[in-house]
Amino acid sequence: MNYVEKVLKNLKKLNPNEPEFHQAATEILTTLAPVVDKHPEYEAAGLLERFVEPERVVMFRVPWIDDKGKVHVNKGYRVQFNSAIGPYKGGLRFHPSVNLSIIKFLGLEQILKNSLTGLPIGGGKGGSDFDPKGKSDREIMAFCQSFMTELYRHVGADTDVPAGDIGVGGREIGYLFGQYKRIRNEHVGVLTGRGLAYGGSLVRTEATGYGLVYITAEAMKARGDSFKGKTVIISGSGNVAIYACEKAQSLGAKVVAMYDSNGYIYDPVGIKLDIIKDIKEVKRGRIKEYAERVAGATYKEGCSGIWTIPCDVALPCATQNEIDENSAKILVKNGVKYVAEGANMPSTLEAISVFQNGGVVFLPAKAANAGGVATSALEMAQSSGRMFWSFEEVDEKLKNIMVNIYHNIDKAAKEYGYDGNYVMGANIAGFIKVATAMMAHGIV
Ligand code: NDP
Ligand code: 2IT
């Protein structure tokens, strides 16, 4: 058994019942074999064993009171995974499915994603099994204040800087920031995704979706291709999906389908994004309403049917494992050319193989959705410098970062003899910087 296999086997034994964490670790570690073969000093230093073990895991109770006076208790998490190249950085997810396995898979991915941005940020992730759906603003505030009343002692502008993820957007970041500031009596960049009125950065709202389209456009450009005239499917209808749609449309693509967790809409002439924004951002409603408002559009219950719609480009932007082997096969059969992951780990391991064997250009999450956290790091830079850049300046920096990520992962894949395999390229390019820093720090 080689070093990677030993570490993976042990990880599964020591962390039972964590299937998402096993999945992310398997995807990452199996691609690192050629790197650790070249560097026998890594095994001697127990580097992979340390890489897959979080530096710190914080779990806490979050009690809060609903509008009827009933007491609820949720679970809170912050996994501070790796600080070798910078302070822990990564989002908070509020969704009923959240558990330790999910936060650990997200944290592990985040380490390499943050490294790929080229900016000095380590990896972390957190969240709660709290379900924001259907809650009043006061209930959201009560929950966020209780969550931060424990979290504040573990985070800090130079220690650990959380941001948004599923179920955590501008409203939640505002309440979390307000409580942090109140407890610590300091107005610092402890969270990113802040409102523009209190230290946020322009473009952070759009960054993940825009970045996803920028890197996909660069992969297209390298093949003499572009978004112009492409038919695109985007799953999800939250922050990432909406701004991926906006940028893809502005580059001349036709986005024909999107979903929420209940079902999908299909609009063969192209989705009207202002209506999606009104339903999702303004009213916090259900996507079903789109088909009631737009003639010619249809709605179907259930999510996986979306992948049966023929398209050139698929941008999964909702959640983990939303594309399984069967959906991947249908996409390939229908002629998909590019799959770029806006969500974290939206494709199962089997689905990834189907794409790679089917000749699809596949851009994995840690490269494709790094624009969000990269712009978070730009927000950190701006707030420490107490200087703010224009929309155009931040957008230009984001675009450059995504273009560089594409070329770095392409180069790493080629260097190791896996031309066009961006799973290999992203994992290797991201890992090398983290490994170099960890080796420099000694056994810590
Ligand atoms: P939002 O909460 O804004 O939107 C999430 C969207 O995905 C909603 O449309 C939601 O539907 C849907 N969704 C969530 N869970 C499921 C599910 N189990 N089945 C079907 N649909 C589901 O989150 P974001 O847009 O911020 O995040 C989307 C993805 O992008 C996540 O994987 C996140 O980790 C990743 N990501 C986010 C970044 C960011 O900056 N926000 C950065 C990088 C990655 P419904 O409303 O019905 O729940
Ligand atoms: O998965 C992610 O990269 C995010 N949710 C964004 C993290 C961040 O710190 O901006």
Side-chain angles (χ1 to χ4, degrees):
M1 206 186 287
N2 66 30
Y3 180 35
V4 161
E5 287 165 352
K6 269 190 287 188
V7 173
L8 204 48
K9 188 173 170 215
N10 210 33
L11 174 146
K12 290 178 182 167
K13 194 176 113 202
L14 294 176
N15 305 275
N17 311 316
E18 296 184 4
E20 293 85 2
F21 181 52
H22 297 177
Q23 183 182 336
T26 303
E27 189 241 86
I28 292 170
L29 290 182
T30 51
T31 63
L32 296 180
V35 182
V36 298
D37 284 350
K38 254 196 188 174
H39 293 275
E41 71 277 18
Y42 288 176
E43 182 168 1
L47 188 79
L48 287 183
E49 292 88 331
R50 289 187 285 131
F51 176 70
V52 298
E53 191 64 39
E55 289 174 18
R56 191 172 299 103
V57 174
V58 184
M59 292 173 62
F60 50 99
R61 99 176 157 226
V62 190
W64 60 280
I65 300 174
D66 71 17
D67 287 346
K68 296 194 179 104
K70 186 171 182 306
V71 174
H72 297 262
V73 179
N74 284 101
K75 287 179 184 291
Y77 303 87
R78 186 72 186 168
V79 173
Q80 299 182 328
F81 222 121
N82 191 300
S83 61
I85 65 171
Y88 310 108
K89 181 86 197 83
L92 297 172
R93 177 178 291 191
F94 293 170
H95 191 272
S97 63
V98 163
N99 57 37
L100 188 59
S101 172
I102 288 180
I103 299 298
K104 282 175 69 181
F105 111 66
L106 289 163
L108 186 65
E109 280 280 298
Q110 198 83 43
I111 303 169
L112 299 184
K113 180 194 309 192
N114 294 4
S115 170
L116 285 173
T117 66
L119 299 165
I121 39 179
K125 200 84 189 187
S128 174
D129 61 356
F130 173 72
D131 186 359
K133 251 187 227 121
K135 304 288 190 297
S136 70
D137 283 352
R138 195 214 59 85
E139 288 173 328
I140 299 286
M141 180 176 74
F143 177 81
C144 289
Q145 290 183 340
S146 182
F147 188 85
M148 187 51 88
T149 299
E150 171 59 31
L151 190 69
Y152 87 90
R153 70 190 81 239
H154 308 290
V155 297
D158 292 317
T159 309
D160 183 359
V161 183
D165 195 84
I166 293 177
V168 178
R171 175 182 59 171
E172 291 73 21
I173 293 293
Y175 293 142
L176 291 163
F177 184 80
Q179 186 71 349
Y180 180 88
K181 184 172 69 62
R182 181 189 192 191
I183 296 173
R184 291 292 274 257
N185 194 26
E186 51 181 36
H187 197 298
V188 295
V190 66
L191 292 159
T192 58
R194 281 170 287 152
L196 298 176
Y198 61 97
S201 172
L202 287 159
V203 193
R204 178 63 190 87
T205 302
E206 296 85 354
T208 311
Y210 278 21
L212 175 68
V213 172
Y214 290 149
I215 195 170
T216 310
E218 191 64 17
M220 289 172 166
K221 191 173 150 199
R223 291 160 178 81
D225 201 358
S226 80
F227 265 102
K228 205 164 174 50
K230 293 275 186 300
T231 299
V232 180
I233 291 177
I234 301 181
S235 63
S237 46
N239 173 265
V240 180
I242 285 174
Y243 292 95
C245 180
E246 183 167 290
K247 187 52 76 177
Q249 288 182 337
S250 80
L251 297 181
K254 185 166 78 167
V255 180
V256 295
M258 291 176 93
Y259 67 50
D260 64 21
S261 59
N262 291 109
Y264 69 95
I265 51 143
Y266 174 53
D267 188 343
V269 298
I271 278 173
K272 286 145 205 74
L273 191 60
D274 54 335
I275 296 185
I276 296 281
K277 284 187 179 179
D278 182 57
I279 296 169
K280 287 290 165 184
E281 292 186 334
V282 180
K283 301 197 175 110
R284 297 181 189 276
R286 308 308 300 161
I287 207 164
K288 185 179 181 181
E289 200 187 299
Y290 183 92
E292 290 154 14
R293 286 170 61 172
V294 179
T298 52
Y299 172 77
K300 279 209 177 118
E301 287 288 326
C303 292
S304 63
I306 201 171
W307 309 118
T308 65
I309 300 168
C311 65
D312 305 303
V313 183
L315 303 175
C317 294
T319 195
Q320 63 274 356
N321 294 328
E322 54 180 319
I323 303 185
D324 63 9
E325 185 175 15
N326 189 41
S327 296
K329 282 182 177 160
I330 297 170
L331 279 162
V332 170
K333 191 170 105 264
N334 287 339
V336 72
K337 292 180 195 68
Y338 301 90
V339 176
E341 298 186 319
N344 285 305
M345 206 168 78
S347 314
T348 63
L349 293 172
E350 296 76 19
I352 295 173
S353 298
V354 172
F355 292 139
Q356 290 180 328
N357 298 331
V360 174
V361 177
F362 176 75
L363 294 168
K366 62 177 72 65
N369 72 32
V373 75
T375 308
S376 280
L378 300 179
E379 180 175 332
M380 290 163 74
Q382 291 169 86
S383 56
S384 332
R386 291 174 161 71
M387 292 272 286
F388 291 87
W389 304 323
S390 68
F391 191 95
E392 291 69 27
E393 278 175 285
V394 183
D395 192 34
E396 194 55 32
K397 288 184 203 303
L398 167 63
K399 199 181 287 173
N400 284 335
I401 290 168
M402 299 315 294
V403 166
N404 285 337
I405 293 176
Y406 173 74
H407 291 287
N408 288 339
I409 66 176
D410 185 58
K411 188 163 149 252
K414 284 190 178 120
E415 254 172 45
Y416 281 82
Y418 293 87
D419 195 1
N421 182 335
Y422 301 125
V423 175
M424 295 288 291
N427 288 336
I428 291 172
F431 179 73
I432 284 173
K433 182 175 176 188
V434 176
T436 306
M438 287 178 74
M439 291 300 284
H441 295 163
I443 308 298
V444 291

